[in-house]
Amino acid sequence: QVQLVESGGGLVQTGGSLRLSCAASGRTISSYTAGWFRQSPGKAREFVARISWSGGRTTYADSVKGRFTISRDNAKNTLILQMNSLQSEDTAVYYCAARSVTGYISSGALVLPTSYPYWGQGTQVTVSS
């Protein structure tokens, strides 16, 4: 099992940047594939980005490509989401999620919230116009 706690959210102006962190405990994050999702009022939880357990492969939603960067610091058991060029549409609660790498799962499945058993409580990101 793993426990996840997000931090780094806040209020930022359009075009600004934020750096979100997700601290993992219980087990090292290196044993998990991990990702970020977000959810705004009235919308379903949306995939943002994911990173392989090794950190060698990353995947991004089309809406954030070129603006967001996902990374992980396994030594610190931390998942990072660097968000640049923020837009009002990025306003949402951001959640980190993790899944054990044991067994096979398709890359397509890894963009679905239902594929992740471990979730943080979320951190609010608000982008002002």
Side-chain angles (χ1 to χ4, degrees), residues 57-89:
R57 295 181 295 278
T58 58
T59 303
Y60 298 92
D62 289 342
S63 59
V64 306
K65 284 181 179 178
R67 300 189 297 118
F68 291 11
T69 302
I70 188 171
S71 62
R72 65 196 306 167
D73 185 342
N74 289 344
K76 297 181 179 180
N77 295 325
T78 301
L79 180 71
I80 303 296
L81 184 68
Q82 178 65 48
M83 305 186 295
N84 299 325
S85 301
L86 284 163
Q87 305 166 12
S88 60
E89 293 79 8

Side-chain angles (χ1 to χ4, degrees), residues 20-36:
L20 304 184
S21 296
C22 174
S25 61
R27 291 186 178 182
T28 59
I29 199 170
S30 62
S31 299
Y32 298 82
T33 186
W36 290 92

Side-chain angles (χ1 to χ4, degrees), residues 3 9 20 29 44 48 52 55 58 70 72-74 81 92 99 103 107 114 116 121 123-124:
Q3 295 79 47
L20 304 184
I29 199 170
V48 176
S52 66
T58 58
I70 188 171
R72 65 196 306 167
D73 185 342
N74 289 344
L81 184 68
R99 175 190 176 91
S107 59
T114 54
Y116 294 82
Q121 295 298 310
T123 185
Q124 177 70 47

